[in-house]
Amino acid sequence: MKHVTHWIGGQSPAGEAERHGDVYDPATGEVAGQVDFATADDVNAAAAAAAEAFTAWRGVSLAKRAQVLFAFRELVRQHTKELAALITAEHGKVASDAAGEVTRGLEVVEFACGIPHLLKGGFSENVSTGVDSYSIRQPVGVVAGITPFNFPAMVPMWMFPIAIACGNTFVLKPSEKDPSASLLLARLWAEAGLPDGVFNVVHGDKVAVDAILQHPDIAAVSFVGSTPIARYVYETGTAHGKRVQALGGAKNHMVVLPDADLDLAADAAVSAGFGSAGERCMAISALVAVDPVGDELIAKIKDRVGKLTVGPGADERSEMGPLVTGPHRDKVASYLDAGVGQGATLAIDGRRHPVTGGDSAGFWLGPSVLDHVTPEMSCYTDEIFGPVLSVLRAPSYEAAVGLVNGSPYGNGVAVFTCDGGAARRFVSEAQIGMVGVNVPIPVPMAYYSFGGWKASLFGDTHVHGTEGIHFYTRGKVVTSRWPDPSHGGVNLGFPVNS
Ligand code: NAD
C-alpha cells in the first residue's frame, strides 16, 4: 500500500497524520494506498514555509527564475511517462491521455519561461516636464491552488508555473482522489533548483480548503472544480480579503448544423464525449442535432461507439478507462434510468459495453447515448461528468443557439458546419467562454487564457496566458522626477499637466 503525504518547505513531514483518505485503483476497484489529510496546522505550516520563502524568491532575478523554469520543463518532459503512469493508476484514464495532459501542462511551463518578457511594463518619458511614468507588476505573495481529480497534473500546471515565475510562492491542495502526481512534481521542482518553500503541497479535504480560504497570509486562491464548490470558494475566499479565480463545472454543447460533414461531427462527438470517460470539463455532454441530421448522426455515432475498446488505462488496447470511483460510476449510471423515466430513448446502453482485459470489480461504465432528450430532463440540466452523451433535436439554428445560451454554464461549445457565415454568427452569439468551430474540445493554448462564463467561472480572471500573469501580480505605476534646476517650489494644487 502506498502512502502519500504533504510536501512542506522542501520535504515530506515525518509522523502520523490524524486523518487519511483511501486512494483507489479504478481499474481493479481496490484501495491502492492512503493519503494524509491536512489539518489546519499542516496548512499553517505550508503557508509559513511559503511566506518565509517569498522574500528571497521575489528578489531572485528574472533570468534566474527563467533558468529554474527551463530546468523544471526538461525534468517534467523526461518524467512524462512516470507522471502519466501515476495518473492512470489513480484516475483511471488511458496512458496516452494521461501523457497528453502532462504535455498540455508543460505548455504552460514553456509559456512561463518567457517571464522576463511577460513582466515588461510600460514607460512614458516626460508625462510632465521633467517627469517620467512607468508601470510594473509585482507578485502578490503566498498564493494557493485547489484542484480537481480529473486533471491531476495539467490543472495544477495551469497555475503554479505562472505564479512562481511571477515571484510568488505556492501552496497546492490537489484532489485527494489522485494525489501522487503533485508530489512527483514537487520533487522535480526541487531537482530543478527551486528554493525550499516556494512550492508546497498539502493533501486533504474541506478541512484543508477552509484553512486555506481563511489563512491571513494567503493572498490569492485559484480553484478548479465543480460549480457548488467553486461558488463556495469564491464567496469564502473573497470574504476573507483574497483575490479568487474559481472555475466551475460545465455542460458543453456541440451544435451540428444541417450542412455539417456528419462523419467529422460523429468522430468529434464520440472523441469529445467519451475521451477520458467523459470526465473532462471540456467534454461534450449535450449534442444538439439541428433538423434533419439527427437520425443519420446517431447511426454514425452508434457505429463508432460499438468499436471502442473499454479497459484498464495501463493496457495499450484501451481507448477508454474506468470512472474514478465506484460511487461516481453509480451516480453517472443512474442518469440512464432517470433519462428513460423522463422520456428519453436509450440509443446506446454503456452498461452492456464489454470490458477488455479488466477486473470485474473495476469502476466500469461504457459509453452511453440518450436520444430525444429535452431541456427539463435531469440528464440535461445536471453536469453528469461521465460517458453519457445527451442528444437533443433542434428545429432550427435559432433554437440550437437558444439551448446553448439558456444553459446556466458557459465553459465550452462547438459548432459543426461547412458554412463560414453561420460559424461566424455562432461565434458572435454564443454566450460561452471558449468556442470551437469544427473543433470539439477548444481548449486554448497556454498563451491564451482558459475559462468559462456564467456558472463556469466565479471571479474576473481566466487562468494562464496574459490573464494568469495579471491574476498573480499587482500593477503599480510610478511617477518620478529627479531634481533638476527648474523645480518651482511649493504648490498645493492637484498635479495636472498644464
Ligand atoms: P470537486 O469540486 O468535488 O473538488 C475540487 C476540489 O475541491 C478538490 O480539491 C476537493 O478536495 C475540494 N472540495 C471538494 N468538496 C469540497 C467542499 N465541500 N469544501 C471545500 N473543498 C471541497 O470537483 P472534482 O469532482 O474533483 O472535479 C470535477 C469537477 O471539476 C467537474 O465539475 C468539472 O467540470 C470541474 N472542472 C472544471 C474545470 C474548468 O476549467 N472549469 C476543469 C476541470 C474540472
Side-chain angles (χ1 to χ4, degrees):
M1 290 268 276
K2 68 181 155 195
H3 172 222
V4 186
T5 189
H6 319 301
W7 182 265
I8 297 174
Q11 58 187 342
S12 285
E16 268 296 300
E18 285 169 25
R19 293 161 63 237
H20 300 94
D22 289 334
V23 179
Y24 286 88
D25 176 351
T28 63
E30 280 168 11
V31 175
Q34 284 209 313
V35 55
D36 288 349
F37 277 8
T39 59
D41 284 346
D42 296 320
V43 171
N44 290 344
E52 197 187 327
F54 176 63
T55 315
W57 180 243
R58 67 160 289 186
V60 169
S61 72
L62 293 174
K64 175 68 187 162
R65 283 188 223 160
Q67 276 172 21
V68 175
L69 280 155
F70 273 109
F72 179 67
R73 185 252 178 203
E74 264 323 287
L75 287 164
V76 174
R77 208 178 54 78
Q78 286 162 18
H79 290 80
T80 298
K81 271 196 171 167
E82 200 182 329
L83 276 163
L86 289 175
I87 295 167
T88 295
E90 297 177 354
H91 174 287
K93 64 176 76 173
V94 300
S96 57
D97 203 33
E101 81 157 279
V102 176
T103 303
R104 290 305 300 263
L106 264 179
E107 289 170 3
V108 183
V109 181
E110 287 159 2
F111 171 73
C113 286
I115 197 66
H117 175 74
L118 294 165
L119 282 184
K120 280 200 296 199
F123 189 97
S124 302
E125 185 190 32
N126 255 9
V127 293
S128 187
T129 305
V131 177
D132 304 325
S133 258
Y134 60 95
S135 62
I136 54 178
R137 299 206 68 88
Q138 297 188 313
V140 295
V142 179
V143 301
I146 302 163
T147 55
F149 81 83
N150 67 317
F151 286 110
M154 182 184 79
V155 168
M157 285 206 273
W158 283 352
M159 304 170 181
F160 63 66
I162 297 181
I164 289 172
C166 288
N168 302 282
T169 54
F170 202 90
V171 177
L172 173 65
K173 206 304 280 172
S175 170
E176 64 279 30
K177 296 192 177 100
D178 40 19
S180 293
S182 58
L183 271 195
L184 178 51
L185 290 168
R187 292 199 183 95
L188 298 181
W189 268 127
E191 204 178 326
L194 191 73
D196 291 349
V198 177
F199 181 70
N200 308 275
V201 182
V202 289
H203 297 287
D205 56 1
K206 181 172 167 49
V207 172
V209 170
D210 285 344
I212 287 171
L213 296 177
Q214 292 163 17
H215 200 291
D217 293 342
I218 295 178
V221 175
S222 300
F223 172 89
V224 176
S226 59
T227 288
I229 312 297
R231 186 181 282 115
Y232 170 77
V233 166
Y234 182 76
E235 288 172 356
T236 313
T238 52
H240 284 82
K242 298 177 199 322
R243 184 181 280 199
V244 181
Q245 53 178 189
L247 282 71
K251 193 80 188 178
N252 304 312
H253 294 62
M254 172 171 154
V255 174
V256 182
L257 297 182
D259 68 333
D261 175 335
L262 290 190
D263 285 305
L264 177 74
D267 284 343
V270 172
S271 309
F274 305 123
S276 197
E279 293 171 328
R280 287 181 184 143
C281 58
M282 290 291 274
I284 294 296
S285 52
L287 181 62
V288 183
V290 178
D291 288 343
V293 299
D295 289 345
E296 195 181 343
L297 187 58
I298 292 278
K300 287 179 186 290
I301 288 173
K302 271 190 176 170
D303 264 4
R304 286 159 173 79
V305 169
K307 293 176 193 145
L308 289 181
T309 308
V310 176
D315 186 328
E316 279 185 2
R317 293 170 296 177
S318 303
E319 293 166 279
M320 194 186 112
L323 275 76
V324 68
T325 61
H328 184 58
R329 185 265 320 273
D330 296 344
K331 183 168 177 224
V332 171
S334 75
Y335 282 98
L336 302 178
D337 288 338
V340 171
Q342 291 163 22
T345 314
L346 188 53
I348 306 174
D349 185 349
R351 293 169 295 197
R352 300 211 183 124
H353 201 101
V355 175
T356 306
D359 187 313
S360 61
F363 307 137
W364 306 108
L365 180 64
S368 299
V369 174
L370 283 162
D371 195 7
H372 299 289
V373 169
T374 52
E376 69 290 348
M377 294 180 187
S378 59
C379 60
Y380 181 69
T381 54
D382 296 3
E383 182 190 33
I384 299 177
F385 217 58
V388 178
L389 191 60
S390 297
V391 183
L392 295 93
R393 312 290 183 109
S396 62
Y397 166 87
E398 286 75 14
V401 172
L403 281 169
V404 170
N405 289 346
S407 170
Y409 299 103
N411 213 40
V413 72
V415 64
F416 277 71
T417 179
C418 294
D419 180 337
R424 187 172 182 279
R425 186 175 157 194
F426 183 86
V427 167
S428 172
E429 291 177 350
Q431 290 165 24
I432 303 285
M434 295 170 283
V435 182
V437 176
N438 296 319
V439 171
I441 307 183
V443 175
M445 298 301 289
Y447 37 92
Y448 286 88
S449 298
F450 183 108
W453 291 9
K454 302 193 274 184
S456 295
L457 186 138
F458 301 88
D460 307 313
T461 323
H462 293 195
V463 290
H464 64 64
T466 313
E467 294 194 39
I469 299 287
H470 276 238
F471 184 75
Y472 292 123
T473 54
R474 279 185 296 201
K476 188 180 272 183
V477 179
V478 183
T479 306
S480 74
R481 171 166 54 196
W482 289 97
D484 66 32
S486 65
H487 60 85
V490 172
N491 179 354
L492 297 195
F494 192 65
V496 290
N497 212 345
S498 54

